[in-house]
Amino acid sequence: MREKILVVDDERLIRWSLKENLGKSRYEVIEAENGNDALKIFSESLPDIVLLDINLPDMSGIEVLRSIKGMDKDVPVVIITAFGNIQTAVDAMKFGAYDFIEKPFEIEKLNIVIEKALENAFLRREVTRYRTKDGDYALESIVGNSLRMQELKKIIRRIAASNTTTVLLEGETGTGKDFIARVIHDQSSRSHKSFIDVNCAALPGNLIESELFGYERGAFTGASGSKKGLFEISSGGTIYLDEIGDMNYDLQAKLLKVIDTKTFRRLGGTTEIMTDVRIIAATNRDLQAKMKAGTFREDLYWRLKVMQLLMPPLRERGEDILLLSQKFIDRLNVEFKKHIKGLSEETMKLFLSYKWPGNVRELKNVIERAMILESEEYITPEHLPAEIAQSDDLRTVKQKSGERFDIPIPEGGLDIENVEKELLRKALEMAKGNQSKAARLLNLGRDAFRYRVQKFGLEGEMSGEN
Ligand SMILES: Nc1ncnc2c1ncn2[C@@H]1O[C@H](COP(=O)(O)OP(=O)(O)OP(=O)(O)O)[C@@H](O)[C@H]1O
Ligand SMILES: [Mg+2]
């Protein structure tokens, strides 16, 4: 199949020459001579790539670019700009242009840019397809093959399809509660209505109350008019009450009433208003402890618990750690235009033994950082934060460093420098010549290690790897 190129330029000669040149090779070329035509033709014929002159007679090229990106964020747009007008081109890059090329251009150069752009777009689409299937929050976008995640996905599918109006999501920070709440909403019959995210810890109680319930004129000082509440506005949709554990006690009672009766009154109001809203509540705190402490209502707790989802911590699902890592790497390769293949074996081991207190969010951040720094094919421990790179083995070394251990001294005595040299040699041997591994075995930083290796002339025992 020939790929379709849309050429947008008001100069006829340029359009003609592009059609002549590109049309002869493997592309089908369609043209537009102004911004309006371009948008119309774009929406009708969905080209694979757009060559866009930034100076158009009827509207700014940037505007055209933004509209195109609004229709299809993955389509590559290459800006054609007059010689010396680089600044506009650079601005266009900020709005998502793939690259720019200056007039007059060599057709060969342009061909290369087009090829690269198409290849890049292909990869981007692959990733998006994986991620979205039918929207950003498809069930398929929940990464995880562990038994617990498989089970969880099944329940999520069921909840989404059900009429259950309350769901409680419990789990440590970063386990994906926000994310799952969105999936539940998007996969439910409520998806065409709004999803409203209310953070109960971020606002003072009375403000949350007036947001949720709305108010009538004069309900409190400053209420000069009436206002609809979120329960009213989002009827038919979903309200996500994040950090429900921090909701104030009185408001908890009012919430329970809404859940039970599906009706509520605006603040200062007298009429009962019906609402059909699904409430997804989330917490990373121990609600039972809060209940014992008397800050969380027992009746609300039991009511919410009817449909409860427990997000498992990442450390309890080892295979997902590796799977998620690979997904994040694949995704970021596209974003950062890198070609990192995966985790090095050593990194895998460290990842599997680390406790991940920040769960998936922490893993994502760690990978993002490592990808920026890494220049090898695999992510090596060198670019991991210290708390992860220092494996359990090393921690044991450190713990034991106060203890004594036995190094026999021969009758004739020994040279302490030789002992050090021998230790370095041994570490390199154990690490098969890999510097960072060897350095870690001796609890030395890379520079400190390298310095000693040079001092003792052991460079020959290092492998090419570092
Ligand atoms: N199973 C998963 N697959 C893919 N991405 C995930 C998964 N779980 C979590 N994430 C990602 O991890 C990040 C953290 O998730 P999220 O914000 O939903 O956590 P949370 O449980 O709400 O945390 P907190 O309690 O701190 O609010 C998000 O970027 C989310 O997209
Ligand atoms: Mg959250």
Side-chain angles (χ1 to χ4, degrees):
M1 203 185 67
R2 293 209 300 172
E3 276 140 326
K4 219 186 273 178
I5 302 183
L6 170 60
V7 174
V8 187
D9 201 309
D10 56 332
E11 280 178 66
R12 222 166 103 203
L13 200 60
I14 298 260
R15 294 202 307 274
W16 176 81
S17 96
L18 285 172
K19 194 163 189 161
E20 272 295 296
N21 285 293
L22 298 170
K24 272 202 199 111
S25 50
R26 57 194 189 95
Y27 305 112
E28 179 190 343
V29 178
I30 44 181
E31 321 166 34
E33 59 178 49
N34 58 47
N36 271 314
D37 282 0
L39 293 180
K40 191 161 164 281
I41 295 173
F42 183 89
S43 66
E44 283 163 3
S45 54
L46 295 174
D48 299 289
I49 181 168
V50 180
L51 305 184
L52 174 65
D53 181 4
I54 205 88
N55 292 312
L56 292 170
D58 59 335
M59 57 203 283
S60 93
I62 299 273
E63 243 174 279
V64 178
L65 169 67
R66 291 178 70 174
S67 304
I68 287 177
K69 286 282 160 180
M71 287 186 259
D72 180 353
K73 67 176 172 28
D74 290 330
V75 73
V77 177
V78 175
I79 301 294
I80 306 173
T81 170
F83 178 71
N85 199 1
I86 298 236
Q87 189 51 47
T88 357
V90 172
D91 288 344
M93 305 286 285
K94 288 188 199 132
F95 289 106
Y98 172 78
D99 204 347
F100 63 88
I101 185 153
E102 275 181 291
K103 282 193 244 187
F105 39 74
E106 291 158 34
I107 211 72
E108 259 148 64
K109 216 165 156 188
L110 181 63
N111 255 316
I112 294 174
V113 172
I114 291 175
E115 244 169 68
K116 272 206 177 138
L118 286 171
E119 188 187 298
N120 181 280
F122 173 74
L123 288 174
R124 226 170 229 286
R125 283 219 167 80
E126 283 295 290
V127 173
T128 327
R129 177 158 43 217
Y130 183 84
R131 223 180 355 187
T132 53
K133 277 271 166 53
D134 46 77
D136 260 321
Y137 298 96
L139 269 168
E140 291 79 5
S141 61
I142 306 173
V143 180
N145 259 339
S146 59
L147 269 179
R148 306 215 18 207
M149 285 311 280
Q150 287 181 26
E151 195 59 28
L152 200 74
K153 282 190 222 180
K154 232 187 276 169
I155 303 174
I156 291 169
R157 189 177 300 128
R158 230 171 279 155
I159 292 179
S162 77
N163 296 323
T164 326
T165 48
T166 56
V167 179
L168 176 62
L169 290 176
E170 285 182 290
E172 292 177 13
T173 181
T175 45
K177 297 183 294 296
D178 291 17
F179 177 55
I180 297 300
R182 267 321 291 243
V183 174
I184 294 177
H185 173 75
D186 276 23
Q187 297 310 306
S188 73
S189 58
R190 299 172 173 272
S191 63
H192 60 287
K193 290 282 178 66
S194 53
F195 175 88
I196 291 178
D197 182 345
V198 180
N199 189 317
C200 305
L203 296 172
N206 54 354
L207 241 157
I208 296 182
E209 187 172 358
S210 68
E211 280 297 313
L212 288 175
F213 292 84
Y215 49 81
E216 296 295 350
R217 186 180 166 172
F220 48 84
T221 342
S224 53
S226 65
K227 191 185 159 189
K228 285 187 180 177
L230 294 173
F231 283 133
E232 216 167 330
I233 295 169
S234 60
S235 192
T238 306
I239 291 191
Y240 177 52
L241 296 175
D242 201 2
E243 314 212 21
I244 186 94
D246 291 326
M247 180 181 268
N248 86 35
Y249 200 77
D250 293 335
L251 195 51
Q252 290 172 28
K254 288 187 129 190
L255 174 64
L256 180 63
K257 191 199 143 214
V258 180
I259 295 174
D260 277 343
T261 65
K262 300 195 188 315
T263 61
F264 70 99
R265 284 185 206 168
R266 291 189 192 159
L267 300 184
T270 47
T271 38
E272 294 285 337
I273 300 170
M274 299 272 286
T275 179
D276 162 36
V277 65
R278 171 178 274 167
I279 293 172
I280 305 183
T283 179
N284 55 30
R285 312 281 191 83
D286 183 355
L287 285 187
Q288 243 163 333
K290 287 200 157 242
M291 223 163 63
K292 284 198 188 108
T295 56
F296 201 82
R297 297 184 64 101
E298 217 169 317
D299 45 10
L300 179 59
Y301 178 73
W302 293 113
R303 184 62 187 74
L304 289 173
K305 212 177 145 66
V306 172
M307 197 64 243
Q308 174 200 30
L309 271 181
L310 244 169
M311 306 295 304
L314 188 58
R315 65 183 158 279
E316 286 174 17
R317 35 192 183 107
E319 57 179 305
D320 289 350
I321 298 179
L322 303 182
L323 192 64
L324 277 158
S325 303
Q326 196 60 48
K327 292 292 173 225
F328 292 147
I329 292 172
D330 294 345
R331 207 179 284 174
L332 293 170
N333 267 330
V334 178
E335 208 165 298
F336 297 163
K337 302 203 172 75
K338 286 214 164 193
H339 302 278
I340 291 181
K341 290 190 177 149
L343 304 178
S344 75
E345 227 164 276
E346 219 186 329
T347 302
M348 282 188 201
K349 276 191 207 141
L350 292 170
F351 272 19
L352 290 173
S353 65
Y354 181 61
K355 298 290 174 247
W356 300 105
N359 294 292
V360 183
R361 181 181 297 119
E362 183 181 11
L363 176 66
K364 207 170 176 179
N365 291 341
V366 164
I367 294 211
E368 189 166 322
R369 183 185 147 200
M371 296 241 340
I372 292 169
L373 300 172
E374 190 61 73
S375 51
E376 306 291 320
E377 286 191 319
Y378 294 91
I379 291 179
T380 52
E382 200 183 327
H383 301 303
L384 302 177
E387 65 271 19
I388 302 175
Q390 297 185 350
S391 69
D392 280 347
D393 305 352
L394 190 61
R395 264 177 243 134
T396 353
V397 171
K398 275 199 170 154
Q399 278 156 13
K400 283 183 189 158
S401 67
E403 288 172 22
R404 301 194 49 182
F405 56 103
D406 192 33
I407 299 178
I409 300 178
E411 286 289 311
L414 53 69
D415 183 343
I416 198 158
E417 294 256 305
N418 273 339
V419 175
E420 196 179 340
K421 183 174 177 183
E422 223 22 67
L423 284 172
L424 286 167
R425 192 175 273 152
K426 200 153 221 164
L428 275 167
E429 204 179 286
M430 274 175 73
K432 301 201 175 65
N434 180 312
Q435 280 183 69
S436 16
K437 236 187 227 178
R440 256 192 317 278
L441 282 170
L442 299 174
N443 197 15
L444 286 173
R446 262 169 67 99
D447 290 339
F449 182 79
R450 217 177 264 159
Y451 164 78
R452 284 174 171 79
V453 164
Q454 274 162 13
K455 176 169 135 192
F456 294 116
L458 293 171
E459 291 97 332
E461 319 213 354
M462 291 189 310
S463 70
E465 286 174 77
N466 51 42

